[in-house]
Amino acid sequence: MAALGAVRSSGRAARRLVCIQRVRSCSSVRFIKSKYVCVFDKSALKFSHQQRLFRTSAVSRGQIVQFKLSDIGEGITEVTVKEWYIKEGDSVSQFDSICEVQSDKASVTITSRYDGIIRKLHYSLDEIAYVGKPLVDIEIDASKGVAPAEDVVEAPPMSHEEHTHQEIKGHKTLATPAVRRLAMENNIKLSEIVGTGKDNRILKEDILNYLAKQTGAILPPSPKAEIIPPFPKSETVPAPPKDKAHKIPVPVSRPIVFSGKDKTEPITGFHKAMVKTMSAALKIPHFGYCDEIDLTELVQLREELKPLAQIRGVKLSFMPFFIKAASLGLLQYPILNASLDENCQNVTYKASHNIGVAMDTEQGLIVPNVKNVQVCSVFEIASELNRLQSLGSAGQLGTTELTGGTFTLSNIGTIGGTYTKPVILPPEVAIGALGKIQVLPRFNGKGEVFKARIMNVSWSADHRVIDGATLARFSNLWKSYLENPASMLLDLK
């Protein structure tokens, strides 16, 4: 009897199996292909499938944290995302570059705080990102460490006024992208470095000093470029290039599209900074002064030095001579290297000559500055200018290069024109604009006509603290250094 009951039970179960090729699911428009489907176990099978997916997710996925845009200083609250170095699904480690953002002051590279996998990018290119708001979602391995509670996805949203700071081991770290890269290349944690800059900012010297202590090496406080002696007379020095042919301006070929509609765009990036700076400059009473400079001897001297500088890997233009001559002049007239407070009650004379150079880039007009020109040689200035121009062309100038200027020179002559009216960049009190170098006839002391290399200069000064006579005397001294470049040797340090 027991055997007969077992056979009958098996028969009933067999009759409940339905042989089909396709079964349309009631809960989805998809078709499920199967050879055998157990009708009475369909719901149970569906539930079991969900449970399997849940268990797999719990095992394979780690904790998702939101990496927020840190406070990058200078009172910046929003930036424009210019480039992503990662994409969703990429693995990142601490200090890996995530993206490049651009504020109205500088471009900054954002680096990761975590080791993990990128799960979400919160912004597209050219979108505005806000300080303290999520930048990317990163999946980390929860077993290796617990992320800060405020970074977990499930955490309550942060208030609009609240700003978070990028921290490592609970300490706020301020450092430029170049310093962070130097630390990463030497496997140094920034949390172990004591910054000596403003607001405990970590400087390049701090990294080098830390390395020196670890290795026992003695490093110079400010590394100088290696000086290569000139070739012996027996060797051939590259001949100076011939005069360049007269350049004819060629219009840029761009497709012209007539939409018939007005177009409105927000002012962002460096253009936004220009709006703020020029609005403040409008409050300054400008005083103008113009003169012409005979650069005949300087042109000859530069042609002799260009091959030597090229051997050292540096492109030598006229600008390093203009900058150094300005610094020598500022030593005699320090009022031009000063700043005036907002209430016009105090004048601060700057100890460093951080001379800015206006550059025309794809991002707009930017003015990086060469630091401490008063203690730099012409070659060192040329080397630094090469670096700044490379960074400017790549759109990678940081806050360090773009802030702290005390005096500015604008070489408008590289584009064209002779005279202009430069606008002072507050809090500075003076600026000079250099025209193009022209070959013009002039008279020498004997009354003979000769071919001269003439450049025009246009100065603007803050008339609240600088009078016309002071600016004229400074211009005459600067002019004498350039017209007789050998005279600079007496005052070079």
Side-chain angles (χ1 to χ4, degrees):
M1 291 295 292
L4 181 60
V7 172
R8 290 178 178 176
S9 177
S10 300
R12 287 195 298 269
R15 286 195 298 271
R16 294 164 75 177
L17 289 174
V18 181
C19 248
I20 61 173
Q21 294 298 324
R22 295 182 180 178
V23 175
R24 184 184 299 272
S25 173
C26 298
S27 61
S28 174
V29 295
R30 293 177 300 176
F31 288 93
I32 303 176
K33 295 184 179 181
S34 177
K35 186 175 181 180
Y36 297 100
V37 176
C38 187
V39 177
F40 67 93
D41 278 336
K42 181 178 180 181
S43 60
L45 182 63
K46 181 178 180 182
F47 177 76
S48 175
H49 180 65
Q50 289 177 338
Q51 289 292 91
R52 182 181 61 80
L53 286 180
F54 177 79
R55 287 195 299 271
T56 302
S57 175
V59 173
S60 64
R61 294 179 65 85
Q63 188 179 28
I64 304 294
V65 298
Q66 288 184 333
F67 177 65
K68 301 181 179 70
L69 178 61
S70 60
D71 184 358
I72 57 180
E74 302 292 331
I76 297 170
T77 59
E78 63 180 41
V79 294
T80 303
V81 179
K82 302 304 295 183
E83 184 177 359
W84 285 107
Y85 298 121
I86 45 87
K87 61 182 181 297
E88 293 181 1
D90 285 354
S91 297
V92 294
S93 301
Q94 291 187 42
F95 305 111
D96 282 355
S97 298
I98 291 180
C99 65
E100 180 181 340
V101 299
Q102 185 183 85
S103 69
D104 57 355
K105 299 177 186 278
S107 294
V108 178
T109 300
I110 304 298
T111 57
S112 175
R113 287 174 54 188
Y114 309 105
D115 298 331
I117 301 174
I118 301 297
R119 290 304 179 192
K120 180 180 179 182
L121 307 181
H122 284 268
Y123 301 98
S124 301
L125 291 180
D126 295 326
E127 283 191 345
I128 302 298
Y130 296 92
V131 170
K133 297 297 183 181
L135 191 63
V136 296
D137 288 354
I138 303 179
E139 179 186 334
I140 65 173
D141 188 349
S143 63
K144 293 183 179 180
V146 180
E150 65 270 16
D151 284 339
V152 179
V153 173
E154 289 79 7
M158 185 181 62
S159 61
H160 179 71
E161 292 81 8
E162 182 182 359
H163 289 168
T164 60
H165 300 270
Q166 181 168 331
E167 299 180 357
I168 300 177
K169 292 186 178 180
H171 297 282
K172 176 182 176 183
T173 58
L174 294 177
T176 63
V179 172
R180 293 183 183 276
R181 183 176 296 277
L182 179 63
M184 181 179 63
E185 291 174 351
N186 291 277
N187 296 321
I188 297 176
K189 295 182 179 180
L190 293 180
S191 59
E192 300 175 354
I193 306 296
V194 178
T196 59
K198 183 180 179 182
D199 298 328
N200 296 324
R201 182 181 295 274
I202 298 175
L203 307 177
K204 179 181 179 182
E205 289 75 12
D206 299 329
I207 302 292
L208 296 177
N209 290 334
Y210 180 85
L211 284 173
K213 292 179 181 179
Q214 297 296 318
T215 60
I218 300 177
L219 299 178
S222 56
K224 302 294 183 180
E226 181 182 359
I227 298 178
I228 302 176
F231 282 132
K233 293 182 179 180
S234 58
E235 298 187 21
T236 303
V237 177
K242 298 179 180 180
D243 293 340
K244 296 181 180 180
H246 179 67
K247 296 182 179 180
I248 301 176
V250 178
V252 179
S253 177
R254 296 179 180 175
I256 301 176
V257 179
F258 295 98
S259 62
K261 297 180 180 180
D262 296 340
K263 182 179 180 182
T264 302
E265 293 182 348
I267 298 176
T268 59
F270 294 133
H271 294 283
K272 194 171 184 178
M274 185 184 296
V275 171
K276 295 179 181 178
T277 304
M278 294 300 102
S279 297
L282 186 62
K283 303 176 183 178
I284 300 176
H286 283 57
F287 166 74
Y289 180 83
C290 301
D291 201 357
E292 72 172 29
I293 319 294
D294 185 354
L295 298 180
T296 303
E297 291 189 22
L298 182 60
V299 170
Q300 182 178 356
L301 175 63
R302 173 179 171 260
E303 289 299 325
E304 295 174 358
L305 296 179
K306 272 177 61 178
L308 299 179
Q310 189 174 5
I311 293 173
R312 302 185 191 181
V314 173
K315 180 181 179 181
L316 182 63
S317 64
F318 289 104
M319 203 63 188
F321 297 97
F322 300 153
I323 292 174
K324 189 59 184 180
S327 178
L328 294 175
L330 293 176
L331 292 174
Q332 301 296 324
Y333 300 95
I335 186 61
L336 275 75
N337 194 60
S339 64
L340 185 65
D341 64 4
E342 294 181 359
N343 297 324
C344 300
Q345 299 296 319
N346 300 287
V347 176
T348 302
Y349 294 85
K350 302 294 185 178
S352 299
H353 296 173
N354 299 338
I355 299 183
V357 180
M359 294 183 181
D360 179 39
T361 68
E362 294 181 358
Q363 292 81 28
L365 178 66
I366 55 177
V367 188
N369 57 84
V370 180
K371 299 287 194 297
N372 298 311
V373 175
Q374 77 278 3
V375 294
C376 292
S377 67
V378 172
F379 176 77
E380 290 170 336
I381 296 171
S383 178
E384 178 65 4
L385 275 179
N386 285 186
R387 187 184 73 87
L388 294 175
Q389 288 167 349
S390 298
L391 292 176
S393 300
Q396 296 179 351
L397 285 169
T399 305
T400 303
E401 291 86 8
L402 294 171
T403 58
T406 61
F407 186 86
T408 299
L409 291 176
S410 176
N411 191 7
I412 192 67
T414 57
I415 301 176
T418 52
Y419 291 99
T420 184
K421 184 180 179 181
V423 180
I424 299 171
L425 302 178
E428 299 174 16
V429 294
I431 185 175
L434 314 174
K436 63 181 180 181
I437 300 176
Q438 305 176 87
V439 179
L440 298 173
R442 290 294 183 267
F443 291 94
N444 60 19
K446 300 179 181 180
E448 301 170 340
V449 177
F450 71 99
K451 185 171 64 174
R453 304 274 186 166
I454 302 298
M455 181 189 73
N456 300 111
V457 60
S458 304
W459 302 103
S460 289
D462 189 337
H463 215 347
R464 295 173 296 182
V465 292
I466 300 175
D467 57 71
T470 300
L471 183 60
R473 292 189 180 100
F474 166 80
S475 179
N476 289 338
L477 180 58
W478 181 76
K479 175 180 179 178
S480 68
Y481 282 132
L482 297 178
E483 291 188 340
N484 304 282
S487 65
M488 286 196 288
L489 295 175
L490 298 177
D491 297 319
L492 289 178
K493 296 182 180 180

